[in-house]
Amino acid sequence: MHRIIQRTLACTFVAVAFSAPVLAYADGDVHVTLQAARVTTTNNREVLASAAQAKPGEILEYRAVYTNDGKREVRQLMATLPIPAGVEYLPRTATPAVVLASLDGKSYAAVPLTRKERTADGREVIREIPASQYRFLRWAVGTLPAQQVRTVTARVRVAPIAVAVNTR
């Protein structure tokens, strides 16, 4: 028999480990910088602090900065922000607010994601997929002029770490 125990462990996050594909359909030189910051409160004000260490339950803000270093605008730019395992997207924290989400990084749909499920009595119902299952967020940035920057952000909560313990 196994039971699940949730432990509070410090997690190390390295923004470089993220991979954010850049989809652009024009000449240009777009670079992406991914950052993570821990959201803390000091004197009733939100402050962004280092996210080198984060504990389960803490909130992080992920930021993807897209910079067009080229001499021409880039059109139809899609900004993608990965949501790594071990964190859960917090609904309604995406900026810009109009965002698509994906469970697999291949198919995207408007937030909130839904799926059809069949109930025990055979009826088909549409149910909302928990935001904790989202693995990618995507924004239609559109045109990014030369020498300009666009930033997209979203907040996540560090998930508890579940450890299976053999109780035999």
Side-chain angles (χ1 to χ4, degrees):
M1 171 179 221
H2 288 51
R3 65 187 164 134
I4 302 296
I5 298 175
Q6 292 184 349
R7 289 191 167 167
T8 301
L9 299 174
C11 299
T12 301
F13 289 89
V14 181
V16 178
F18 300 139
S19 63
V22 177
L23 302 177
Y25 302 102
D27 291 332
D29 193 10
V30 177
H31 300 282
V32 183
T33 304
L34 296 166
Q35 305 162 347
R38 195 165 31 93
V39 179
T40 62
T41 304
T42 303
N43 297 328
N44 293 326
R45 290 187 58 207
E46 277 191 356
V47 177
L48 298 180
S50 169
Q53 294 278 323
K55 297 177 185 168
E58 290 185 322
I59 296 173
L60 302 177
E61 182 173 285
Y62 287 155
R63 182 176 299 265
V65 181
Y66 286 75
T67 304
N68 182 356
D69 290 328
K71 294 182 181 183
R72 296 168 50 181
E73 69 183 16
V74 173
R75 296 181 184 173
Q76 298 180 356
L77 179 67
M78 301 296 287
T80 302
L81 184 66
I83 305 297
V87 297
E88 302 170 346
Y89 168 65
L90 296 174
R92 295 174 294 285
T93 63
T95 303
V98 178
V99 64
L100 304 174
S102 174
L103 304 177
D104 60 8
K106 296 176 185 168
S107 59
Y108 288 82
V111 170
L113 297 179
T114 59
R115 72 174 127 222
K116 291 182 184 178
E117 294 181 357
R118 193 161 303 281
T119 62
D121 63 2
R123 290 182 302 124
E124 195 172 85
V125 296
I126 296 177
R127 294 217 168 105
E128 194 171 307
I129 298 170
S132 61
Q133 295 180 17
Y134 296 3
R135 288 288 142 268
F136 296 88
L137 299 176
R138 180 172 282 173
W139 293 263
V141 173
T143 301
L144 180 56
Q147 304 303 310
Q148 295 293 308
V149 174
R150 292 286 189 281
T151 302
V152 297
T153 64
R155 290 188 174 180
V156 298
R157 182 181 319 277
V158 179
I161 297 173
V163 178
V165 176
N166 190 349
T167 57
R168 287 191 224 183

